[in-house]
Short mmCIF file of all heavy atoms in Angstrom, two decimals:
data_model
loop_
_atom_site.label_atom_id
_atom_site.label_comp_id
_atom_site.label_asym_id
_atom_site.label_seq_id
_atom_site.Cartn_x
_atom_site.Cartn_y
_atom_site.Cartn_z
N MET A 1021 105.03 118.92 92.11
CA MET A 1021 105.15 117.51 92.04
C MET A 1021 106.29 117.12 92.99
O MET A 1021 107.34 117.74 93.14
CB MET A 1021 105.41 117.09 90.60
CG MET A 1021 105.48 115.66 90.42
SD MET A 1021 105.72 114.87 88.81
CE MET A 1021 105.83 116.13 87.64
N LEU A 1022 106.09 115.97 93.59
CA LEU A 1022 106.99 115.27 94.50
C LEU A 1022 107.32 113.84 94.04
O LEU A 1022 106.39 113.19 93.80
CB LEU A 1022 106.52 115.31 95.93
CG LEU A 1022 107.33 114.60 96.99
CD1 LEU A 1022 108.65 115.31 97.19
CD2 LEU A 1022 106.61 114.54 98.19
N GLU A 1023 108.55 113.53 93.87
CA GLU A 1023 108.81 112.20 93.41
C GLU A 1023 109.98 111.50 94.24
O GLU A 1023 110.97 112.26 94.49
CB GLU A 1023 109.30 112.25 91.92
CG GLU A 1023 109.34 110.88 91.34
CD GLU A 1023 109.62 110.91 89.75
OE1 GLU A 1023 109.52 111.99 89.21
OE2 GLU A 1023 109.84 109.84 89.16
N THR A 1024 109.77 110.32 94.60
CA THR A 1024 110.81 109.54 95.32
C THR A 1024 110.92 108.19 94.56
O THR A 1024 110.18 108.03 93.50
CB THR A 1024 110.45 109.29 96.85
OG1 THR A 1024 109.27 108.43 96.86
CG2 THR A 1024 110.14 110.61 97.57
N GLU A 1025 111.61 107.33 95.08
CA GLU A 1025 111.78 106.02 94.42
C GLU A 1025 110.51 105.30 94.42
O GLU A 1025 110.21 104.56 93.46
CB GLU A 1025 112.79 105.14 95.23
CG GLU A 1025 114.24 105.53 95.00
CD GLU A 1025 115.23 104.71 95.63
OE1 GLU A 1025 114.91 103.45 95.76
OE2 GLU A 1025 116.29 105.12 96.09
N ARG A 1026 109.69 105.48 95.44
CA ARG A 1026 108.37 104.73 95.63
C ARG A 1026 107.18 105.52 95.36
O ARG A 1026 105.97 104.94 95.46
CB ARG A 1026 108.38 103.91 96.83
CG ARG A 1026 109.54 102.92 97.04
CD ARG A 1026 109.55 102.28 98.44
NE ARG A 1026 108.30 102.31 99.17
CZ ARG A 1026 108.13 102.02 100.34
NH1 ARG A 1026 109.27 101.68 101.07
NH2 ARG A 1026 106.91 102.01 100.87
N LEU A 1027 107.28 106.85 95.22
CA LEU A 1027 105.99 107.66 95.20
C LEU A 1027 106.16 108.69 94.23
O LEU A 1027 107.20 109.37 94.04
CB LEU A 1027 105.89 108.27 96.61
CG LEU A 1027 104.83 109.41 96.73
CD1 LEU A 1027 103.39 108.70 96.78
CD2 LEU A 1027 105.09 110.10 98.01
N LEU A 1028 105.05 108.99 93.45
CA LEU A 1028 104.98 110.08 92.61
C LEU A 1028 103.66 110.86 93.06
O LEU A 1028 102.57 110.38 92.96
CB LEU A 1028 104.83 109.72 91.15
CG LEU A 1028 104.44 110.82 90.17
CD1 LEU A 1028 105.53 111.96 90.22
CD2 LEU A 1028 104.34 110.27 88.77
N LEU A 1029 103.80 112.03 93.63
CA LEU A 1029 102.67 112.84 94.06
C LEU A 1029 102.54 114.06 93.09
O LEU A 1029 103.53 114.78 93.05
CB LEU A 1029 103.00 113.32 95.50
CG LEU A 1029 101.79 114.12 96.19
CD1 LEU A 1029 100.52 113.27 96.28
CD2 LEU A 1029 102.37 114.58 97.62
N ARG A 1030 101.42 114.11 92.51
CA ARG A 1030 101.20 115.11 91.42
C ARG A 1030 99.73 115.62 91.64
O ARG A 1030 98.97 114.96 92.31
CB ARG A 1030 101.32 114.55 90.07
CG ARG A 1030 100.42 113.40 89.71
CD ARG A 1030 100.41 113.10 88.34
NE ARG A 1030 99.64 112.01 87.92
CZ ARG A 1030 98.27 111.91 87.93
NH1 ARG A 1030 97.68 113.03 88.25
NH2 ARG A 1030 97.60 110.86 87.51
N PRO A 1031 99.46 116.83 90.95
CA PRO A 1031 98.12 117.30 91.06
C PRO A 1031 97.18 116.41 90.40
O PRO A 1031 97.52 115.65 89.42
CB PRO A 1031 98.18 118.71 90.39
CG PRO A 1031 99.67 118.96 90.36
CD PRO A 1031 100.44 117.67 90.40
N ALA A 1032 95.95 116.35 90.86
CA ALA A 1032 94.90 115.46 90.22
C ALA A 1032 94.54 116.06 88.89
O ALA A 1032 94.67 117.23 88.66
CB ALA A 1032 93.66 115.43 91.17
N GLU A 1033 94.25 115.10 87.92
CA GLU A 1033 93.89 115.49 86.62
C GLU A 1033 92.45 114.89 86.20
O GLU A 1033 92.12 113.97 86.97
CB GLU A 1033 94.89 114.95 85.64
CG GLU A 1033 96.21 115.53 85.77
CD GLU A 1033 97.26 114.97 84.84
OE1 GLU A 1033 96.94 113.94 84.08
OE2 GLU A 1033 98.47 115.35 84.96
N LEU A 1034 91.73 115.48 85.45
CA LEU A 1034 90.41 114.98 85.17
C LEU A 1034 90.37 113.56 84.75
O LEU A 1034 89.45 112.89 85.14
CB LEU A 1034 89.66 115.92 84.11
CG LEU A 1034 88.24 115.71 83.91
CD1 LEU A 1034 87.50 115.83 85.18
CD2 LEU A 1034 87.72 116.62 82.79
N GLU A 1035 91.40 113.13 84.11
CA GLU A 1035 91.56 111.74 83.73
C GLU A 1035 91.51 110.73 84.92
O GLU A 1035 91.42 109.61 84.75
CB GLU A 1035 92.72 111.49 82.89
CG GLU A 1035 92.63 112.16 81.44
CD GLU A 1035 92.98 113.77 81.55
OE1 GLU A 1035 93.76 114.09 82.46
OE2 GLU A 1035 92.47 114.43 80.69
N ASP A 1036 91.78 111.29 86.00
CA ASP A 1036 91.88 110.45 87.37
C ASP A 1036 90.55 110.24 87.96
O ASP A 1036 90.31 109.66 88.95
CB ASP A 1036 92.68 111.20 88.36
CG ASP A 1036 94.12 111.42 87.86
OD1 ASP A 1036 94.69 110.54 87.14
OD2 ASP A 1036 94.72 112.42 88.21
N TYR A 1037 89.43 110.65 87.26
CA TYR A 1037 88.09 110.64 87.81
C TYR A 1037 87.71 109.26 88.22
O TYR A 1037 87.00 109.07 89.29
CB TYR A 1037 86.97 111.17 86.95
CG TYR A 1037 86.51 110.42 85.84
CD1 TYR A 1037 85.47 109.56 85.95
CD2 TYR A 1037 87.08 110.37 84.57
CE1 TYR A 1037 84.99 108.72 84.99
CE2 TYR A 1037 86.73 109.60 83.53
CZ TYR A 1037 85.71 108.77 83.80
OH TYR A 1037 85.25 107.96 82.72
N ARG A 1038 88.02 108.15 87.63
CA ARG A 1038 87.64 106.81 87.90
C ARG A 1038 88.20 106.43 89.34
O ARG A 1038 87.56 105.87 90.22
CB ARG A 1038 88.10 105.88 86.88
CG ARG A 1038 87.32 105.93 85.57
CD ARG A 1038 87.87 105.04 84.53
NE ARG A 1038 87.47 105.26 83.21
CZ ARG A 1038 87.98 106.00 82.32
NH1 ARG A 1038 89.07 106.60 82.62
NH2 ARG A 1038 87.31 106.22 81.16
N ASP A 1039 89.47 106.73 89.50
CA ASP A 1039 90.16 106.35 90.78
C ASP A 1039 89.53 107.26 91.89
O ASP A 1039 89.34 106.62 92.98
CB ASP A 1039 91.65 106.41 90.65
CG ASP A 1039 92.33 105.52 89.70
OD1 ASP A 1039 91.84 104.44 89.55
OD2 ASP A 1039 93.27 105.95 89.01
N ILE A 1040 89.40 108.50 91.62
CA ILE A 1040 88.85 109.39 92.72
C ILE A 1040 87.48 108.97 93.04
O ILE A 1040 87.04 108.97 94.23
CB ILE A 1040 88.92 110.87 92.26
CG1 ILE A 1040 90.41 111.30 92.08
CG2 ILE A 1040 88.14 111.72 93.11
CD1 ILE A 1040 90.61 112.59 91.59
N TYR A 1041 86.61 108.56 92.05
CA TYR A 1041 85.26 108.04 92.38
C TYR A 1041 85.31 106.83 93.16
O TYR A 1041 84.60 106.77 94.16
CB TYR A 1041 84.52 107.87 91.01
CG TYR A 1041 83.28 107.06 91.24
CD1 TYR A 1041 82.15 107.77 91.91
CD2 TYR A 1041 83.07 105.74 90.89
CE1 TYR A 1041 80.97 107.04 92.18
CE2 TYR A 1041 81.89 105.06 91.23
CZ TYR A 1041 80.89 105.74 91.81
OH TYR A 1041 79.69 105.14 92.15
N GLU A 1042 86.11 105.89 92.84
CA GLU A 1042 86.28 104.62 93.61
C GLU A 1042 86.52 104.94 95.08
O GLU A 1042 86.04 104.27 95.92
CB GLU A 1042 87.21 103.71 93.06
CG GLU A 1042 86.82 103.03 91.70
CD GLU A 1042 85.58 102.28 91.84
OE1 GLU A 1042 85.42 101.46 92.84
OE2 GLU A 1042 84.70 102.34 90.99
N TYR A 1043 87.34 105.92 95.28
CA TYR A 1043 87.73 106.36 96.70
C TYR A 1043 86.69 107.07 97.39
O TYR A 1043 86.35 106.74 98.52
CB TYR A 1043 88.96 107.15 96.61
CG TYR A 1043 89.56 107.64 98.01
CD1 TYR A 1043 90.26 106.82 98.79
CD2 TYR A 1043 89.32 108.95 98.31
CE1 TYR A 1043 90.65 107.38 100.09
CE2 TYR A 1043 89.80 109.54 99.47
CZ TYR A 1043 90.50 108.68 100.37
OH TYR A 1043 90.96 109.17 101.49
N SER A 1044 86.01 107.99 96.58
CA SER A 1044 85.06 108.93 97.16
C SER A 1044 83.72 108.40 97.27
O SER A 1044 82.85 108.97 97.97
CB SER A 1044 84.96 110.12 96.23
OG SER A 1044 86.29 110.78 96.22
N LYS A 1045 83.41 107.21 96.72
CA LYS A 1045 82.01 106.67 97.00
C LYS A 1045 81.78 105.97 98.26
O LYS A 1045 80.73 105.65 98.71
CB LYS A 1045 81.76 105.68 95.79
CG LYS A 1045 82.47 104.46 95.74
CD LYS A 1045 82.18 103.60 94.48
CE LYS A 1045 82.86 102.23 94.66
NZ LYS A 1045 82.35 101.39 93.48
N HIS A 1046 82.87 105.73 99.00
CA HIS A 1046 82.76 105.01 100.23
C HIS A 1046 82.30 105.84 101.34
O HIS A 1046 82.85 107.05 101.49
CB HIS A 1046 84.00 104.28 100.63
CG HIS A 1046 84.42 103.19 99.58
ND1 HIS A 1046 83.85 102.03 99.69
CD2 HIS A 1046 85.35 103.19 98.65
CE1 HIS A 1046 84.37 101.30 98.71
NE2 HIS A 1046 85.31 102.01 98.09
N PRO A 1047 81.29 105.43 102.05
CA PRO A 1047 80.73 106.34 103.12
C PRO A 1047 81.72 106.77 104.30
O PRO A 1047 81.54 107.89 104.85
CB PRO A 1047 79.55 105.45 103.73
CG PRO A 1047 79.66 104.16 103.17
CD PRO A 1047 80.63 104.13 102.02
N ASP A 1048 82.70 106.05 104.44
CA ASP A 1048 83.72 106.35 105.58
C ASP A 1048 84.72 107.34 105.14
O ASP A 1048 85.47 107.85 105.97
CB ASP A 1048 84.37 104.98 106.01
CG ASP A 1048 83.44 103.99 106.70
OD1 ASP A 1048 82.29 104.61 107.21
OD2 ASP A 1048 83.68 102.84 106.80
N VAL A 1049 84.84 107.73 103.89
CA VAL A 1049 85.85 108.47 103.39
C VAL A 1049 85.43 109.98 103.53
O VAL A 1049 86.12 110.69 104.16
CB VAL A 1049 86.24 108.18 101.86
CG1 VAL A 1049 87.12 109.24 101.35
CG2 VAL A 1049 86.82 106.79 101.77
N GLY A 1050 84.43 110.32 102.97
CA GLY A 1050 84.02 111.82 102.95
C GLY A 1050 83.49 112.37 104.26
O GLY A 1050 83.64 113.54 104.49
N SER A 1051 82.88 111.54 104.97
CA SER A 1051 82.20 112.01 106.15
C SER A 1051 83.13 112.67 107.13
O SER A 1051 82.79 113.72 107.75
CB SER A 1051 81.47 110.94 106.86
OG SER A 1051 82.42 109.83 107.30
N ASN A 1052 84.35 112.27 107.22
CA ASN A 1052 85.39 112.83 108.06
C ASN A 1052 85.78 114.24 107.47
O ASN A 1052 86.30 115.14 108.30
CB ASN A 1052 86.61 112.00 108.22
CG ASN A 1052 86.22 110.73 109.09
OD1 ASN A 1052 85.51 110.83 109.96
ND2 ASN A 1052 86.80 109.66 108.74
N ALA A 1053 85.74 114.41 106.21
CA ALA A 1053 86.01 115.71 105.58
C ALA A 1053 84.82 116.66 105.42
O ALA A 1053 85.10 117.80 104.84
CB ALA A 1053 86.71 115.48 104.25
N GLY A 1054 83.65 116.16 105.74
CA GLY A 1054 82.52 116.98 105.65
C GLY A 1054 81.72 116.90 104.34
O GLY A 1054 80.85 117.82 104.00
N TRP A 1055 81.99 115.91 103.51
CA TRP A 1055 81.19 115.74 102.34
C TRP A 1055 80.57 114.34 102.23
O TRP A 1055 81.15 113.38 102.86
CB TRP A 1055 81.92 116.00 101.01
CG TRP A 1055 83.41 115.63 101.04
CD1 TRP A 1055 84.49 116.31 101.48
CD2 TRP A 1055 83.98 114.30 100.44
NE1 TRP A 1055 85.62 115.57 101.22
CE2 TRP A 1055 85.24 114.38 100.66
CE3 TRP A 1055 83.32 113.30 99.82
CZ2 TRP A 1055 86.12 113.30 100.17
CZ3 TRP A 1055 84.13 112.20 99.45
CH2 TRP A 1055 85.53 112.24 99.71
N LYS A 1056 79.56 114.19 101.44
CA LYS A 1056 78.77 112.94 101.33
C LYS A 1056 79.51 112.07 100.25
O LYS A 1056 80.30 112.47 99.43
CB LYS A 1056 77.31 113.21 100.91
CG LYS A 1056 77.16 113.84 99.41
CD LYS A 1056 75.75 113.89 99.13
CE LYS A 1056 75.49 114.28 97.74
NZ LYS A 1056 75.95 113.28 96.65
N PRO A 1057 79.22 110.69 100.37
CA PRO A 1057 79.90 109.92 99.29
C PRO A 1057 79.29 110.24 97.89
O PRO A 1057 78.28 110.69 97.77
CB PRO A 1057 79.35 108.50 99.69
CG PRO A 1057 78.96 108.67 101.20
CD PRO A 1057 78.56 110.02 101.26
N HIS A 1058 80.21 110.16 96.92
CA HIS A 1058 79.79 110.44 95.55
C HIS A 1058 78.87 109.35 95.08
O HIS A 1058 79.06 108.18 95.22
CB HIS A 1058 80.99 110.48 94.64
CG HIS A 1058 81.95 111.62 94.95
ND1 HIS A 1058 83.02 112.02 94.08
CD2 HIS A 1058 82.05 112.46 96.02
CE1 HIS A 1058 83.58 113.04 94.59
NE2 HIS A 1058 83.06 113.37 95.74
N GLU A 1059 77.87 109.78 94.44
CA GLU A 1059 76.84 108.84 93.98
C GLU A 1059 77.07 108.20 92.61
O GLU A 1059 76.62 107.07 92.34
CB GLU A 1059 75.34 109.59 93.98
CG GLU A 1059 75.00 110.05 95.34
CD GLU A 1059 73.66 110.59 95.28
OE1 GLU A 1059 72.94 110.47 94.30
OE2 GLU A 1059 73.34 111.29 96.29
N ASN A 1060 77.91 108.88 91.81
CA ASN A 1060 78.25 108.34 90.42
C ASN A 1060 79.40 109.11 89.95
O ASN A 1060 79.86 110.14 90.53
CB ASN A 1060 77.03 108.51 89.49
CG ASN A 1060 76.46 109.91 89.45
OD1 ASN A 1060 77.27 110.85 89.21
ND2 ASN A 1060 75.22 110.11 89.68
N LYS A 1061 79.96 108.61 88.89
CA LYS A 1061 81.20 109.23 88.21
C LYS A 1061 80.88 110.59 87.80
O LYS A 1061 81.79 111.41 87.78
CB LYS A 1061 81.68 108.28 87.10
CG LYS A 1061 82.17 106.99 87.61
CD LYS A 1061 82.59 106.05 86.51
CE LYS A 1061 83.02 104.66 87.14
NZ LYS A 1061 83.23 103.67 86.20
N GLU A 1062 79.68 110.84 87.32
CA GLU A 1062 79.47 112.25 86.87
C GLU A 1062 79.54 113.27 87.86
O GLU A 1062 79.97 114.40 87.71
CB GLU A 1062 77.99 112.27 86.17
CG GLU A 1062 77.93 111.47 84.79
CD GLU A 1062 77.83 109.94 84.98
OE1 GLU A 1062 77.58 109.46 86.09
OE2 GLU A 1062 78.14 109.28 83.97
N GLU A 1063 79.04 112.85 89.05
CA GLU A 1063 79.19 113.74 90.34
C GLU A 1063 80.72 114.02 90.55
O GLU A 1063 81.09 115.19 90.88
CB GLU A 1063 78.51 113.19 91.46
CG GLU A 1063 78.57 114.07 92.68
CD GLU A 1063 77.87 113.40 93.95
OE1 GLU A 1063 77.56 112.20 93.90
OE2 GLU A 1063 77.63 114.19 94.89
N THR A 1064 81.46 112.92 90.47
CA THR A 1064 82.92 113.11 90.80
C THR A 1064 83.62 114.08 89.78
O THR A 1064 84.24 114.99 90.17
CB THR A 1064 83.62 111.76 90.68
OG1 THR A 1064 83.08 110.84 91.75
CG2 THR A 1064 85.11 111.89 90.87
N ILE A 1065 83.11 113.91 88.46
CA ILE A 1065 83.75 114.80 87.46
C ILE A 1065 83.28 116.35 87.66
O ILE A 1065 84.12 117.20 87.61
CB ILE A 1065 83.35 114.34 86.08
CG1 ILE A 1065 83.97 113.05 85.69
CG2 ILE A 1065 83.54 115.45 84.99
CD1 ILE A 1065 83.39 112.41 84.46
N ALA A 1066 82.07 116.50 88.05
CA ALA A 1066 81.51 117.79 88.38
C ALA A 1066 82.35 118.48 89.57
O ALA A 1066 82.73 119.60 89.52
CB ALA A 1066 80.00 117.77 88.59
N ILE A 1067 82.51 117.68 90.60
CA ILE A 1067 83.28 118.28 91.70
C ILE A 1067 84.73 118.49 91.33
O ILE A 1067 85.25 119.47 91.82
CB ILE A 1067 83.15 117.21 92.91
CG1 ILE A 1067 81.70 117.15 93.51
CG2 ILE A 1067 84.14 117.55 94.03
CD1 ILE A 1067 81.47 116.03 94.38
N MET A 1068 85.36 117.57 90.60
CA MET A 1068 86.76 117.83 90.20
C MET A 1068 86.79 119.08 89.36
O MET A 1068 87.75 119.86 89.56
CB MET A 1068 87.22 116.68 89.35
CG MET A 1068 87.45 115.37 90.23
SD MET A 1068 88.06 114.01 89.23
CE MET A 1068 89.73 114.57 88.87
N ARG A 1069 85.92 119.36 88.51
CA ARG A 1069 85.92 120.62 87.64
C ARG A 1069 85.86 121.74 88.52
O ARG A 1069 86.43 122.87 88.34
CB ARG A 1069 84.89 120.55 86.62
CG ARG A 1069 85.17 119.56 85.49
CD ARG A 1069 84.21 119.70 84.33
NE ARG A 1069 84.61 118.96 83.19
CZ ARG A 1069 83.81 118.25 82.49
NH1 ARG A 1069 82.55 118.20 82.70
NH2 ARG A 1069 84.32 117.54 81.43
N ASP A 1070 84.99 121.72 89.62
CA ASP A 1070 84.89 122.95 90.42
C ASP A 1070 86.00 123.10 91.41
O ASP A 1070 86.43 124.23 91.61
CB ASP A 1070 83.58 122.61 91.48
CG ASP A 1070 82.35 122.86 90.63
OD1 ASP A 1070 82.27 123.53 89.55
OD2 ASP A 1070 81.24 122.36 91.28
N ILE A 1071 86.69 122.03 91.84
CA ILE A 1071 87.85 122.18 92.79
C ILE A 1071 89.12 122.28 92.06
O ILE A 1071 90.00 123.09 92.45
CB ILE A 1071 87.80 120.99 93.71
CG1 ILE A 1071 86.44 121.08 94.60
CG2 ILE A 1071 89.01 120.99 94.68
CD1 ILE A 1071 86.28 119.86 95.55
N PHE A 1072 89.41 121.38 91.15
CA PHE A 1072 90.64 121.38 90.51
C PHE A 1072 90.64 122.11 89.25
O PHE A 1072 91.65 122.34 88.58
CB PHE A 1072 91.15 119.91 90.20
CG PHE A 1072 90.97 118.99 91.36
CD1 PHE A 1072 90.29 117.78 91.44
CD2 PHE A 1072 91.80 119.30 92.50
CE1 PHE A 1072 90.28 116.99 92.52
CE2 PHE A 1072 91.83 118.44 93.60
CZ PHE A 1072 91.04 117.45 93.62
#
């Protein structure tokens, strides 16, 4: 974990799936990293379980 006055950087938690989905569903986000946009929140949860 990294914390400054204006930033708290911590590992992702499953409870963060809504925010991660909102970010990951946009077509311009994942294509640069080699993955397709998430189609729904369930897909985001499944990916988070596999990765995190």
Side-chain angles (χ1 to χ4, degrees):
M1021 183 172 3
L1022 174 67
E1023 187 172 355
T1024 69
E1025 286 183 32
R1026 297 176 25 193
L1027 173 72
L1028 172 60
L1029 185 61
R1030 60 165 176 77
E1033 299 174 356
L1034 192 55
E1035 294 79 26
D1036 299 325
Y1037 78 90
R1038 289 176 193 90
D1039 294 326
I1040 292 173
Y1041 169 69
E1042 287 300 319
Y1043 178 77
S1044 300
K1045 70 180 182 179
H1046 294 286
D1048 295 335
V1049 171
S1051 60
N1052 291 324
W1055 42 270
K1056 68 177 186 64
H1058 293 192
E1059 295 180 19
N1060 53 54
K1061 292 176 185 171
E1062 291 76 20
E1063 181 179 18
T1064 299
I1065 291 170
I1067 291 169
M1068 289 179 70
R1069 285 190 173 137
D1070 287 344
I1071 294 175
F1072 304 123

